[in-house]
Amino acid sequence: MFVLVLGTLAALMSGAGVTSRFEPADRPQGQIELPQAIIGAMPVTHAVGIEPHSELKYRHVVRQAYDYSCGSAALVTILKYYLGLSVGEQQAMEGMLERGEKQKIIERRGFSLLDMKRYVASLGIESAGFRAEIKDLITLDHPAIVPIDYAGFKHFVVLRGIRDGLVYVADPSAGNIVFSLHEFATLWDRNTLFVLYPPKDRPPQGQLALADQELGVFDTDRIRDQANLQPLGNAYLLQRAINSGFGGVYSRRH
């Protein structure tokens, strides 16, 4: 939380470029002040809420607790933020171990879509797996769990939707990220998707829906097959390029 403090001594200091700092008597913990040019007769305090990028990046995404738990985290992301169920990742993992093929789960160190289907059925949730094409995903009415294959790694993510040629994904290991349609098509494993349907007597939650105000989720380099890196003229641009991963390739910890 930032507090911007603006003040003025109009006649004396107008146009003089003088800066001043005011100390609110009872400033809430966690707020800071930014010194501003004196431009008014009375000090005015304006509180501005700032959300860290780290929180925005993982908003409405259950972050996987283990290298092998992307499936359970993706499943709980939909259960929690689309179906409105209070289910934790550990609870889902235990449920899938109990109702799935336990020995196979242990051997492959991960959960399958069939394991997910059996578990959500125990919660009274209808679900179905499909084989589809990109054109089918564009018209999809529900978020879906999709397997992707990146550099030999199998991984589950939540497909939130497609808009203007961009694929919006909630990734348990990397948060909210975006792919171009072309890139996503190369990663999508066996054109498979898994859909959970909300009960008829309970409308779905809206947290996974695409919003027009989704700022800071991606940058232009992130949706290119290769970043277009121009010669960098200052340290800020260099740091921005480093932070974006020179093309925005998501985490490979699957």
Side-chain angles (χ1 to χ4, degrees), residues 29-181:
Q29 185 177 4
Q31 294 183 355
I32 66 171
E33 302 168 41
L34 299 179
Q36 299 288 330
I38 299 178
I39 57 175
M42 297 294 292
V44 178
T45 300
H46 180 60
V48 179
I50 304 295
E51 185 174 15
H53 178 263
S54 59
E55 294 184 14
L56 177 63
K57 186 175 180 63
Y58 285 96
R59 176 184 287 173
H60 305 147
V61 181
V62 175
R63 194 168 185 175
Q64 64 189 77
Y66 310 97
D67 286 346
Y68 56 83
S69 66
C70 59
S72 55
L75 180 63
V76 175
T77 294
I78 292 183
L79 290 174
K80 183 176 182 179
Y81 295 117
Y82 184 63
L83 301 183
L85 298 182
S86 180
V87 178
E89 183 184 13
Q90 187 68 32
Q91 183 179 350
M93 292 173 65
E94 292 173 357
M96 285 189 282
L97 278 169
E98 179 181 347
R99 294 168 177 82
E101 298 174 301
K102 186 174 182 178
Q103 189 57 41
K104 289 185 177 180
I105 293 173
I106 295 174
E107 290 175 358
R108 65 175 175 254
R109 294 180 58 82
F111 301 100
S112 69
L113 295 179
L114 181 57
D115 297 325
M116 298 180 196
K117 182 176 178 61
R118 289 170 173 167
Y119 171 62
V120 299
S122 72
L123 303 177
I125 301 298
E126 293 186 14
S127 63
F130 301 93
R131 289 196 184 277
E133 299 178 10
I134 290 292
K135 64 180 181 180
D136 301 312
L137 299 184
I138 295 175
T139 61
L140 197 63
D141 293 330
H142 308 279
I145 296 175
V146 294
I148 62 175
D149 188 335
Y150 188 84
F153 292 98
K154 303 292 185 180
H155 188 49
F156 284 118
V157 299
V158 175
L159 172 68
R160 297 177 56 208
I162 299 176
R163 178 182 294 177
D164 299 329
L166 303 179
V167 182
Y168 290 75
V169 167
D171 186 326
S173 71
N176 288 298
I177 57 177
V178 178
F179 294 103
S180 67
L181 270 174

Side-chain angles (χ1 to χ4, degrees), residues 3 26-27 52 72 134 162 168 197 199 204-205 222-223 238 254:
V3 176
D26 300 311
R27 184 174 63 206
S72 55
I134 290 292
I162 299 176
Y168 290 75
Y197 298 101
Q205 304 294 304
R222 220 170 196 161
I223 59 174
L238 177 59
H254 308 324

Side-chain angles (χ1 to χ4, degrees), residues 2-35:
F2 289 91
V3 176
L4 305 184
V5 182
L6 307 180
T8 334
L9 299 175
L12 286 176
M13 301 184 177
S14 176
V18 180
T19 62
S20 177
R21 179 174 179 173
F22 296 89
E23 295 287 348
D26 300 311
R27 184 174 63 206
Q29 185 177 4
Q31 294 183 355
I32 66 171
E33 302 168 41
L34 299 179

